[in-house]
């Protein structure tokens, strides 16, 4: 026979598969007779078409495909679709740079990625391909927007927003990195006050937080915690302070209403409306100081403002507030450590028990009053914060606080809230870090927002029947970032005459954040070709939610939080009966080179296309799967694609050598090899389901070696056990190396495709160990180890022990006085 040739094998099977289309699942809703199989929905995060696929894609799609193929082998109908997240700024920026239409750039890249996928051969259902930049797709973004608008979940408001000065567009909070830069352009994000569209995700904060508990053990703990922190639920109280000379009271949020008597001043965020209002009523000097301070504040990122080590700065606003529990007059300051959009943008400062407030009080010589007696582990009172500079934030007994005196923290908080509620000056409340999702963007390459503006400033939704609102062509449009949407310049597109009133309307010029597109694409796959609805609820019943999601941890917050939100909205709209979109999640590690992230700019890019050309799809996939646990990073410098290719050749030769006919009864085969095969069959499912793909590959390597030995000795290639092993190898190997496995399957005399073969189950009889090792001791010393049938009884065990030459030698001519037999482990002889 000829040798293993990956290229010939790829060329042989790709056309066969493309004809068979084995991974297309029907559009029926499960009503196809009695034998409906159980279903699994296995999904990889869909790619963004910026150039060809890279090694990161190769890895993620390898893992997703292992799982999709595995579930088919377990007898499931598996939905494993593919699409493209094809709107967005990179396309637009590249198009501007090259002077081409973003469409041309985007769809050319999609074609290139499709061509690579074709060879790489993940088991996709190619009949359901979607591109989010197709009007057939984004029509349904607009539909979702309208549904949300109807429910009050999409709204417009003026507020301070994150502005990317390079891309000249607003960003969602989730798109600003911890260092204050844009996750897209890398620019330092600044604040601008603009009127923008939002999705009211904060209405879902509690559900988004509480439902994370259902995902415990199924999603990586790290991701769950990142989501929890991002939502940031904080329970406490809202306390209303009167401000002298102002009719409306000012609410503050505090987690420590037990410390109300220790509030010695109030601090307002400089960029909160209240600060400007109070400054406006102050002296010209204060007004100037405040203006300068506000400008300085606006240059700081939120992260910088929250840095505890920074020197405290601020401006006295020339106003006093009244503490509602003791009537005390306290000064009102503006300082940047208070954030405008958290809680109420103003705080009651309790310097004795809050470090930030203490630092501020010491800088501006404001009073510090201890109201909680906090002690150390030995019962000694902690030093006075005013002297030590260290706020005592721990638990203790309340003092200097009238009727709260003597209570512990928890009781004091509860009592303080009761008092506030009774007086109508406060109440228990919960605050979240989560902000509403800012979804409008001032750029071209996205979904137009389906809203019409009338000349009087009123708005009306585009009627559902008029969807999609298609993007105008780029002809005559200036796409260059300029701070307002290029769509505003498409006059013919913008202007709409109301057919009923004849009034002139203008289209909303903004486009949607592309995270809207990806927040529901897993529903669209259910009905990708249905032009009458976003998705068919019956299909959702059959397939959804996604059983297994695979993708990078960089989406831990953004995409996953938005998807969870939109799923809950779909649930509340009555389209689905579940509330979490992704049941299990695998976050693959990164593919590195020499310990560093690969990138074009670093010049250390391993090109997926050239690896694929040089080694073939199978060797790449096996290498990625074998490199280590899938959650860990892979260093491409440490792996051996050649080693994988050698293993594939060895496996393939086993099938090539098999000399018994297909269908032969395995029962007569070599028992040792059969056991080995059945242990593999028994263990592989648990290993795959716990993502131990590397262990399964190692077990396959071992199985190939053992089978080779059997071929080269004993009954040889004609032993039915060799065929049994070769078939098991082909079936399991098809998860990792679909081409080689298909070729093996054909060599073994079977029809394509191995990908749809249900796994043989392990025979329990071949899993039990039917031989045991029994130890024989003479006067406490081990004198022999005997191999006996597991079913051995006491008498047989004793007889075997006495018959052992080693044992007889040890006994010599002494008299045996006692024999203790514990089958099947030990026989103990005393002389
Ligand atoms: C008085 C107090 C006394 C506070 C004390 C803490 C300790 P978390 O847990 O993060 O929710 N705060 C409220 N709004 C703020 C804003 N817009 N900017 C900055 N800080 C703000 O924090 C809640 C606490 O952070 C609140 O409780 C408030 O300070 C402060 F011994 O009120 B506290």
């Amino acid at each position: 026979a000829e040798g293993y040739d990956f290229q010939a094998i790829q060329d042989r099977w790709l056309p066969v598969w493309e004809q068979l289309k084995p991974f297309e699942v029907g559009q029926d809703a499960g009503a196809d007779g009695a034998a409906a199989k159980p279903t699994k929905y296995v999904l990889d995060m869909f790619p963004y078409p910026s150039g060809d696929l890279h090694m990161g894609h190769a890895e993620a799609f390898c893992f997703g495909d292992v799982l999709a193929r595995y579930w088919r082998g377990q007898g499931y109908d598996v939905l494993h679709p593919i699409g493209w997240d094809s709107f967005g700024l990179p396309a637009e920026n590249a198009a501007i740079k090259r002077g081409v239409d973003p469409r041309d750039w985007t769809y050319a890249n999609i074609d290139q990625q499709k061509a690579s996928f074709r060879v790489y051969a993940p088991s996709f259902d190619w009949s359901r391909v979607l591109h989010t930049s197709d009007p057939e797709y984004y029509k349904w973004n607009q539909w979702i927007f309208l549904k949300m608008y109807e429910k009050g979940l999409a709204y417009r408001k003026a507020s301070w927003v994150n502005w990317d000065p390079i891309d000249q567009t607003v960003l969602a909070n989730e798109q600003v990195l911890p260092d204050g830069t844009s996750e897209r352009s890398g620019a330092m994000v600044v604040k601008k006050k603009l009127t923008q569209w939002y999705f009211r995700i904060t209405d879902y904060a509690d559900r988004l937080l509480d439902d994370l508990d259902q995902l415990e053990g199924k999603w990586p703990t790290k991701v769950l915690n990142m989501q929890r922190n991002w939502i940031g639920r904080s329970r406490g109280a809202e306390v209303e302070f009167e401000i002298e000379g102002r009719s409306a009271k000012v609410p503050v949020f505090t987690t420590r209403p037990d410390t109300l008597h220790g509030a010695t001043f109030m601090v307002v965020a400089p960029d909160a409306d209240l600060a400007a209002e109070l400054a406006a009523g102050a002296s010209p000097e204060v007004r100037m100081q405040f203006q300068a301070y506000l400008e300085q504040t606006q240059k700081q990122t939120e992260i910088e403002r929250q840095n505890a080590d920074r020197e405290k700065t601020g401006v006295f606003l020339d106003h006093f507030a009244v503490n509602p529990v003791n009537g005390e007059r306290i000064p009102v300051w503006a300082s940047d450590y208070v954030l405008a959009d958290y809680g109420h943008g103003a705080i009651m400062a309790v310097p004795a028990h809050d470090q930030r407030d203490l630092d501020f009080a010491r800088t501006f010589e404001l009073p510090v009053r201890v109201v909680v007696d906090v002690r150390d582990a030995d019962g000694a009172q902690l030093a006075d914060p005013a002297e030590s500079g260290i706020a005592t934030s721990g638990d203790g007994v309340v003092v200097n606080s009238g009727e709260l005196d003597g209570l512990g923290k928890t009781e004091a908080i509860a009592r303080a809230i009761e008092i506030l509620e009774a007086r109508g000056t406060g109440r228990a409340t919960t605050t979240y870090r989560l902000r509403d999702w800012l979804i409008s963007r001032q750029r071209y390459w996205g979904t137009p927002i389906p809203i019409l503006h009338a000349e009087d400033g009123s708005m009306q939704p585009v009627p559902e029947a008029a969807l999609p609102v298609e993007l105008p062509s780029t002809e005559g449009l200036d796409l260059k970032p300029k701070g307002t949407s290029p769509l505003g310049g498409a006059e013919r597109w913008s202007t709409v005459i109301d057919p009923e009133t004849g009034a002139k309307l203008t289209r909303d010029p903004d486009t949607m954040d592309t995270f809207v597109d990806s927040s529901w694409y897993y529903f669209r796959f259910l009905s990708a070709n249905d032009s009458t609805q976003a998705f068919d609820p019956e299909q959702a019943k059959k397939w959804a939610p996604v059983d297994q999601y695979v993708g990078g941890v960089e989406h831990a917050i953004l995409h996953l939080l938005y998807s969870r939100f939109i799923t809950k909205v779909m649930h509340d709209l009555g389209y689905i009966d579940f509330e979490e979109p992704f049941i299990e999640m695998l976050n693959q590690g990164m593919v590195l080179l020499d310990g560093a992230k690969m990138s074009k700019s670093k010049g250390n890019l391993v090109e997926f296309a050239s690896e694929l050309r040089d080694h073939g799809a199978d060797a790449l996939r096996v290498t990625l799967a074998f490199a280590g646990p899938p959650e860990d990073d892979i260093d491409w410098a440490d792996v051996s694609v050649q080693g994988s290719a050698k293993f594939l050749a060895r496996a393939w030769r086993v099938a090539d050598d098999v000399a018994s006919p297909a269908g032969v009864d395995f029962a007569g085969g070599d028992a040792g090899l059969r056991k080995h095969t059945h242990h593999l069959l028994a263990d592989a499912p648990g290993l795959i389901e716990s993502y131990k793909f590397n262990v399964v590959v190692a077990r396959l390597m071992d199985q190939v070696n053992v089978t080779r030995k059997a071929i080269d000795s004993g009954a040889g290639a004609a032993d039915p056990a060799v065929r049994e092993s070769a078939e098991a190898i082909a079936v399991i190997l098809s998860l990792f190396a679909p081409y080689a496995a298909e070729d093996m399957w054909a060599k073994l005399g079977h029809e394509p495709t191995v990908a749809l073969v249900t796994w043989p189950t392990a025979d329990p009889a071949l899993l039990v160990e039917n031989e045991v090792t029994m130890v024989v001791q003479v006067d406490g010393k081990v004198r022999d180890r005997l191999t006996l049938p597991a079913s051995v009884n006491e008498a047989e065990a004793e007889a075997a022990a006495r018959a052992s030459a080693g044992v007889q030698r040890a006994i010599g001519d002494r008299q045996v006085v006692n024999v203790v037999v514990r089958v099947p482990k030990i026989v103990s002889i005393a002389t």
Side-chain angles (χ1 to χ4, degrees), residues 245-256:
R246 187 181 195 267
S247 55
K249 288 182 182 170
V250 169
V252 304
F253 173 69
T254 178
T255 48
R256 297 291 304 274

Side-chain angles (χ1 to χ4, degrees), residues 234 253-256 259 337-350 353-354 356-357 393 431:
S234 185
F253 173 69
T254 178
T255 48
R256 297 291 304 274
T259 64
Y337 77 94
V338 174
L339 304 176
D341 66 354
Y342 186 70
H344 294 288
I347 65 156
M348 62 179 220
V350 183
H353 306 295
D354 182 289
R356 298 159 299 179
D357 297 345
S393 56
T431 291

